[in-house]
Amino acid sequence: MIETNTGACLCGAVRFKTSGPLRGVVYCHCQQCRRQTGHFYAATNVAETALSVEGADKVSWYAASPYARRGFCSVCGSALFWKHNESEEISVMAGVFDRPNTLKGEVHIFVADKADYYTIDDGLPQYDRSTPSIVVAGD
Ligand SMILES: [Zn+2]
Ligand SMILES: [Zn+2]
């Protein structure tokens, strides 16, 4: 049986389902992610074809750079998705999934840009910027 996972925004106007295993969670501490979420990003990803969205008309997209766009609920503001223009995968915020799920932390990126008010002490690998295996918006 194929693993499926579901989730939703805070108000429920947007619901989604993923099929297939979820990637380990990438924590992004870059300024764009901090400003969008008020903290840092925690996202898994799936092939875009493995994601189905109910209420997609309620998802607003903001292009913070020429390379990628960020999808959020236009009703309640929940950060939901991150999509690189040239990738066939889409990132989904880890915290918007229903529980239980199979999510596990994997790596911290853009640690050089992290805010000063917290420390990272979970023992996961940390990178100043990204790693070759993770698609990020270039600059
Ligand atoms: Zn919402
Ligand atoms: Zn980021």
Side-chain angles (χ1 to χ4, degrees):
M1 216 178 104
I2 296 176
E3 172 185 335
T4 61
N5 289 280
T6 57
C9 66
L10 177 59
C11 76
V14 181
R15 294 204 58 86
F16 65 87
K17 186 167 102 173
T18 61
S19 55
L22 299 172
R23 185 195 66 187
V25 175
V26 173
Y27 305 98
C28 184
H29 302 265
C30 82
Q31 179 174 269
Q32 290 179 356
C33 290
R34 288 194 284 107
R35 290 204 160 140
Q36 188 194 3
T37 62
H39 194 29
F40 55 83
Y41 238 38
T44 182
N45 80 352
V46 294
E48 200 170 18
T49 52
L51 173 72
S52 64
V53 179
E54 234 179 88
D57 59 314
K58 295 291 193 301
V59 179
S60 287
W61 291 93
Y62 173 68
S65 76
Y67 311 101
R69 55 192 200 276
R70 292 160 185 266
F72 59 95
C73 175
S74 60
V75 180
C76 69
S78 294
L80 298 168
F81 309 119
W82 184 92
K83 179 70 177 68
H84 192 281
N85 298 338
E86 272 146 42
S87 171
E88 287 172 5
E89 303 196 313
I90 185 163
S91 295
V92 184
M93 298 307 104
V96 299
F97 279 86
D98 299 324
R99 300 170 69 190
N101 60 53
T102 57
L103 291 165
K104 281 195 179 59
E106 185 171 298
V107 64
H108 294 270
I109 61 172
F110 288 93
V111 170
D113 295 343
K114 85 181 246 316
D116 299 326
Y117 64 88
Y118 59 89
T119 51
I120 302 170
D121 53 9
D122 55 17
L124 294 172
Q126 300 183 26
Y127 295 91
D128 271 358
R129 295 180 61 75
S130 190
T131 81
S133 62
I134 300 168
V135 176
V136 297
D139 57 353

